Amino acid sequence: MSSDPLQQRVPYSVSPPRYSVSHHMVTTAFELPNYRVVQNLGVVRGIVVRSRNIFATVWTKLCEQTRADAFDIMIQHATELGANAVIGARYDTTELSQGVTEVLAYGTAVIVEPQNPGESFRS
């Protein structure tokens, strides 16, 4: 069993783990402050299908974990493409059948570079 927490959470193997996109480099905006997009690598996605055949008290935790899993798979997909950021990130859900829901996290994988390389991105 892998000791990597991401590999323990994702429901299917997308690629060997390599992490070129950190979570703070994902945004719902179409730009990252103090960075410029130098290459667009295309849409990335993370999809998780879950059934809610459990008690309602566990429902909130299941929803949050499902969103986190879809997000992590999207990050992994962006990494496969060589991205270091994801812009325009969104979530979508679809009920596939009664009690079975698909959660999709998606965005645009990009390569960004600092606008002022000598400065911290927090400047």
Side-chain angles (χ1 to χ4, degrees):
M1 174 171 248
S2 171
S3 63
D4 179 43
L6 178 61
Q7 287 300 98
Q8 293 172 5
R9 289 200 320 242
V10 295
Y12 56 87
S13 177
V14 177
S15 68
R18 297 175 318 188
Y19 306 101
S20 63
V21 179
S22 62
H23 285 210
H24 75 277
M25 295 298 284
V26 177
T27 181
T28 57
F30 294 102
E31 62 185 17
L32 283 166
N34 300 321
Y35 288 86
R36 75 169 174 260
V37 173
V38 295
Q39 188 175 358
N40 180 327
L41 300 173
V43 174
V44 290
R45 81 290 177 257
I47 302 170
V48 176
V49 177
R50 294 277 163 82
S51 174
R52 61 180 177 197
N53 295 331
I54 57 175
F55 297 108
T57 55
V58 184
W59 181 242
T60 299
K61 184 176 181 193
L62 178 65
C63 288
E64 184 56 40
Q65 186 61 55
T66 301
R67 286 184 201 101
D69 290 347
F71 184 88
D72 286 343
I73 294 166
M74 178 186 68
I75 295 289
Q76 199 168 345
H77 187 206
T79 295
E80 288 178 5
L81 298 177
N84 65 356
V86 175
I87 59 174
R90 303 285 189 268
Y91 288 99
D92 193 12
T93 62
T94 303
E95 188 169 13
L96 299 176
S97 66
Q98 187 173 358
V100 179
T101 302
E102 168 196 57
V103 175
L104 169 66
Y106 64 97
T108 303
V110 295
I111 296 175
V112 297
E113 63 183 25
Q115 289 177 346
N116 300 309
E119 297 178 14
S120 166
F121 71 91
R122 298 181 195 276
S123 295

